Amino acid sequence: MSEVEERVALTPERLAKVQEIIKRYPAGQQKSALLPILHLVQEQFGWVSAASMDMVAELLDIQPVEVYEVTTFYTMFHLEPVGKHVIEYCRTGPCCNMGGEGVYDHLKNRLGIKEKETTADGVFTLKEVECLAACGWGPCFQIREKFYLHLTNDKVDEIIDELRN
Amino acid sequence: MAEITKILTEHIDKPGIETFKVYRENGGYNAVEKALKEMTSDAIVEEVKKAGVRGRGGAGFPMGMKWSFLAKPEGVPRYLVCNADESEPGTFKDHYLMKSIPHLLIEGMIVSSFALGANKGFIYVRGELMYVIRILENAIEEAKAAGFLGKNILGTGYDLELVVQPGGGAYICGEETALLESLEGKRGNPRNKPPFPAVKGLYQCPTVVNNVESIANTPWIVMNGGDKYASFGVGRSTGTKLISASGHINKPGVYEIPLGISVREFMESDEYCGGIRHGHQLKALVAGGSSVPILPAHLVYETAEGNERLMTYESLSDGGFASGTMLGSGGFIVMDETTCIVRNTWNFSRFYAHESCGQCSPCREGTGWMTKVLERIENGKGSMSDIDLLVDVAKKIEGNTICPLGDAAAWPVASAIRHFRDEFEWHITNPTEATKPGAIYRGEPILA
Ligand SMILES: Cc1cc2nc3c(=O)[nH]c(=O)nc-3n(C[C@H](O)[C@H](O)[C@H](O)COP(=O)(O)O)c2cc1C
Ligand code: SF4
Ligand code: FES
């Protein structure tokens, strides 16, 4: 219990950022700050827990359900704990044309996990996503803000080795 | 060859162009000076109308006309919202433009907001592009420090704040009313129309929503005039267009083309796609993002009537749904003979099923159905009646939904069956063959 409560305070820098974000919108429209703040929450904790959703509701003076219905609608928010690196792999047609399916099979073999699973050492979680607006530079995946483009089996191996060390 | 004018990408490869300093040294922000000091709002709207620039987000609606619909009730704020959600499979031009030359969009936002009488503008960027959001926020800070944004811009008395808003990963938020809902901190459910955003948009105030590329055209139009812009292109397809080229070509990437060059030139010249890779054959083209009808090879360079197919709104849609497609968002997806059309159709269908917001039952249920049926055909478990079932479901979705996502899901399926029916049938009659790894149907697509 105490662990959960500890987890749901944003850092003072992020709290200051929350106040700055709320001021971007007209008075009374603070709910517009919801998505930017959820991104801040995920940046800090790696995922969005029920406790942190309640915290966000309080920060914005809205009902908790208004936060829940948003986090469950948008695919970027992880609603369960994830590994240190979440690999968000593009599975959409244009990337498949560029060889995306073969590279994906290689990645899954290499990690020894399926979609939505986390490696035993807790380093990688694998998630399939739709088109990342990088189709001509595919196959591609994203880890947090970084795009990994023009993937090949060898390149995937290099990336995994580097992130594991 | 005639000299090709680059309206958006002329300076894009210059080192440091992402900084205010280098952008300004290359003539950047001159349009803000000219617009705010020498022009009235109405005069700018007039130039944009004359330019004939059509919305680059996909629908191709004339930008100047959209601007002139904006309601202007006294004392009510108006908003300009830039649609940078770019999620249509095959499209990555706005991503490229924003990351490479962010100040072009900021400059466009300033002159466009001034033209519309808006004092606040939002740039709604898909959340996956957080690094681009940081680039844009940095550009805004630089422009503000130089006096081009904020209070009393260049001493003219005009105030403008720009806010960059991240999405959360949902294709539907590219639809303009879903985008507005999302910007208000809600689920991205498209609104019923009317009222249109021009009357009741963001926070129920009059709002214009335009695509990144549309807005990025406005500084050039302010500097050079609408007539000059309209002198490029053919007929109602004026100016240039960014094309995102992907798939089985030698040079995937983003290209700015003058509207009106031939599809063949775009596909084969070294300046653009550089031809089909490794000497392979063209099998099919999706010309304008995943939601437009697919074209078989024999309808790519020529229309059904035998006219040369051009890169224009009109020529690409020549033949309607029977034998044409659409320019859409310019997502040019090229497929050679190693492509399985059934698998590709299933993949696209799964995309729309995944991205349906679920509000209307034809879209919610229909996209799910189509995906299931396509998956079973792809896996060698389909029956002949499944093909007609797909056509039937696609028909029932089309035109029966709140927003065009339903149509976008139906067209790729309907057109794939129209042009590649034999390939679907082959999957059904030869399940063992069709499900072998790497097995591809190489028969001739039937004529439309
Ligand atoms: C499902 C769906 C997704 C869309 N996605 C985008 C998008 O990612 N970017 C965009 O600019 N327009 C998108 N649009 C079109 C917008 O609704 C709107 O027409 C456009 O932003 C208007 O700008 P424009 O007139 O400058 O093109 C989408 C439409 C639909 C129906
Ligand atoms: S057509 Fe689909 S995406 Fe559009 S409003 Fe209806 S259910 Fe939602
Ligand atoms: S299909 Fe993978 S980035 Fe577009």
Side-chain angles (χ1 to χ4, degrees):
Chain A
M1 199 54 212
S2 67
E3 196 188 87
V4 172
E5 273 163 19
E6 227 175 303
R7 285 177 58 94
V8 294
L10 283 174
T11 61
E13 298 77 40
R14 289 201 179 82
L15 276 177
K17 181 90 185 161
V18 164
Q19 292 315 315
E20 186 247 298
I21 291 171
I22 290 173
K23 288 201 194 81
R24 294 174 179 175
Y25 313 99
Q29 301 293 352
Q30 78 280 7
K31 192 173 166 182
S32 281
L34 186 47
L35 286 175
I37 293 175
L38 287 170
H39 282 293
L40 282 180
V41 168
Q42 185 152 297
E43 183 184 270
Q44 180 170 328
F45 301 114
W47 66 296
V48 180
S49 65
S52 55
M53 288 189 244
D54 291 345
M55 170 197 66
V56 171
E58 218 166 284
L59 284 170
L60 288 177
D61 195 19
I62 58 179
Q63 295 302 318
V65 66
E66 294 178 84
V67 183
Y68 305 156
E69 65 176 14
V70 160
T71 51
T72 50
F73 184 84
Y74 296 93
T75 57
M76 283 185 76
F77 303 113
H78 311 311
L79 301 181
E80 278 166 22
V82 287
K84 182 167 166 222
H85 302 292
V86 182
I87 299 178
E88 303 190 270
Y89 195 93
C90 174
R91 67 176 190 185
T92 314
C95 269
C96 296
N97 276 339
M98 310 288 278
E101 288 175 302
V103 174
Y104 186 48
D105 286 340
H106 177 78
L107 173 65
K108 281 189 287 192
N109 283 337
R110 174 69 210 259
L111 295 174
I113 55 173
K114 296 198 291 283
E115 218 260 285
K116 297 199 184 80
E117 291 179 349
T118 300
T119 52
D121 58 5
V123 178
F124 296 105
T125 298
L126 190 56
K127 200 174 153 181
E128 287 174 20
V129 294
E130 300 292 358
C131 179
L132 289 168
C135 325
W137 313 310
C140 66
F141 64 61
Q142 183 171 30
I143 298 178
R144 288 221 174 196
E145 296 184 19
K146 192 167 159 54
F147 277 76
Y148 295 83
L149 305 170
H150 304 293
L151 294 174
T152 58
N153 291 356
D154 288 347
K155 208 160 163 191
V156 163
D157 287 340
E158 268 168 44
I159 296 164
I160 299 296
D161 286 340
E162 197 183 307
L163 291 175
R164 237 190 196 132
N165 291 326
Chain B
M1 198 202 294
E3 195 193 328
I4 288 163
T5 296
K6 302 276 188 232
I7 289 176
L8 303 165
T9 59
E10 188 186 345
H11 303 297
I12 207 159
D13 291 325
K14 295 207 170 124
I17 197 70
E18 70 283 0
T19 63
F20 178 84
K21 185 170 169 290
V22 175
Y23 182 74
R24 183 82 176 118
E25 282 164 9
N26 283 281
Y29 289 99
N30 284 350
V32 174
E33 289 201 290
K34 181 171 177 190
L36 270 58
K37 291 181 175 167
E38 296 167 27
M39 294 175 81
T40 61
S41 300
D42 289 347
I44 301 171
V45 176
E46 244 352 272
E47 291 306 322
V48 171
K49 269 192 188 161
K50 272 196 234 160
V53 52
R54 290 166 64 179
R56 302 300 195 218
F61 191 81
M63 190 170 180
M65 201 187 291
K66 183 186 266 189
W67 284 15
S68 61
F69 290 155
L70 185 67
K72 298 187 170 162
E74 195 105 355
V76 180
R78 307 193 269 278
Y79 297 107
L80 172 63
V81 176
C82 172
N83 189 341
D85 192 55
E86 193 166 66
S87 315
E88 169 91 354
T91 314
F92 49 104
K93 65 185 177 82
D94 298 337
H95 179 179
Y96 171 69
L97 200 67
M98 292 188 291
K99 85 174 165 91
S100 312
I101 186 161
H103 283 284
L104 180 63
L105 177 60
I106 305 305
E107 184 177 12
M109 285 297 287
I110 301 170
V111 299
S112 303
S113 300
F114 177 73
L116 297 166
N119 298 108
K120 194 181 263 296
F122 292 89
I123 305 173
Y124 181 99
V125 185
R126 59 178 300 174
E128 292 89 343
L129 297 183
M130 199 57 88
Y131 86 98
V132 176
I133 290 175
R134 297 190 200 284
I135 290 172
L136 289 171
E137 283 179 338
N138 185 54
I140 287 172
E141 284 313 311
E142 285 186 307
K144 215 184 254 176
F148 285 93
L149 263 176
K151 291 244 174 289
N152 192 18
I153 297 173
L154 303 177
T156 60
Y158 176 61
D159 302 337
L160 178 66
E161 289 293 336
L162 291 182
V163 173
V164 188
Q165 180 84 357
Y171 165 70
I172 191 57
C173 291
E175 193 282 332
E176 58 185 14
T177 60
L179 187 154
L180 296 175
E181 287 286 295
S182 179
L183 192 40
E184 292 178 2
K186 298 181 231 160
R187 296 164 68 98
N189 287 346
R191 297 175 181 170
N192 272 306
K193 285 170 268 193
F196 288 93
V199 178
K200 282 193 160 91
L202 184 63
Y203 311 131
Q204 297 295 309
C205 298
T207 303
V208 164
V209 182
N210 271 133
N211 172 259
V212 172
E213 185 187 346
S214 309
I215 292 171
N217 273 303
T218 57
W220 196 95
I221 295 170
V222 164
M223 292 310 294
N224 300 280
D227 287 334
K228 179 89 183 162
Y229 186 93
S231 73
F232 304 114
V234 178
R236 289 183 58 236
S237 294
T238 61
T240 65
K241 175 87 189 82
L242 293 177
I243 305 291
S244 318
S246 69
H248 301 149
I249 45 178
N250 282 313
K251 293 169 58 197
V254 177
Y255 299 101
E256 180 173 12
I257 61 158
L259 284 168
I261 64 170
S262 68
V263 176
R264 185 185 294 278
E265 180 184 348
F266 182 66
M267 185 88 86
E268 293 182 355
S269 80
D270 283 336
E271 179 152 12
Y272 303 117
C273 301
I276 308 290
R277 59 165 196 186
H278 315 319
H280 282 230
Q281 298 295 310
L282 176 67
K283 179 172 184 177
L285 169 72
V286 174
S290 61
S291 49
V292 309
I294 191 170
L295 285 183
H298 71 276
L299 288 172
V300 169
Y301 296 141
E302 279 188 359
T303 65
E305 251 101 75
N307 298 317
E308 180 170 49
R309 183 94 70 187
L310 307 179
M311 298 289 286
T312 62
Y313 292 93
E314 294 75 19
S315 180
L316 283 167
S317 62
D318 190 342
F321 283 2
S323 62
T325 179
M326 286 188 259
L327 179 60
S329 59
F332 196 86
I333 310 166
V334 180
M335 301 175 201
D336 70 13
E337 79 279 8
T338 65
T339 313
C340 173
I341 298 294
V342 175
R343 189 165 186 81
N344 187 74
T345 310
W346 161 66
N347 183 297
F348 280 169
S349 184
R350 178 181 66 177
F351 171 84
Y352 291 103
H354 186 259
E355 301 299 328
S356 165
C357 83
Q359 274 192 110
C360 341
S361 36
C363 171
R364 183 187 61 234
E365 305 297 325
T367 54
W369 260 104
M370 290 196 304
T371 309
K372 259 190 217 143
V373 174
L374 283 161
E375 190 173 353
R376 105 176 149 228
I377 297 176
E378 164 66 6
N379 291 330
K381 301 203 171 74
S383 60
M384 280 299 187
S385 60
D386 280 343
I387 299 180
D388 295 325
L389 178 63
L390 282 171
V391 174
D392 186 52
V393 175
K395 252 193 216 130
K396 287 196 168 114
I397 301 175
E398 211 186 317
N400 289 321
T401 56
I402 294 176
C403 91
L405 184 140
D407 300 342
W411 295 338
V413 176
S415 60
I417 293 176
R418 188 179 313 119
H419 298 300
F420 297 95
R421 192 178 186 109
D422 52 344
E423 190 161 341
F424 286 82
E425 289 174 352
W426 178 74
H427 272 71
I428 292 160
T429 49
N430 300 283
T432 331
E433 195 60 29
T435 50
K436 276 189 191 152
I440 304 286
Y441 178 72
R442 295 179 198 253
E444 284 299 307
I446 47 172
L447 299 181

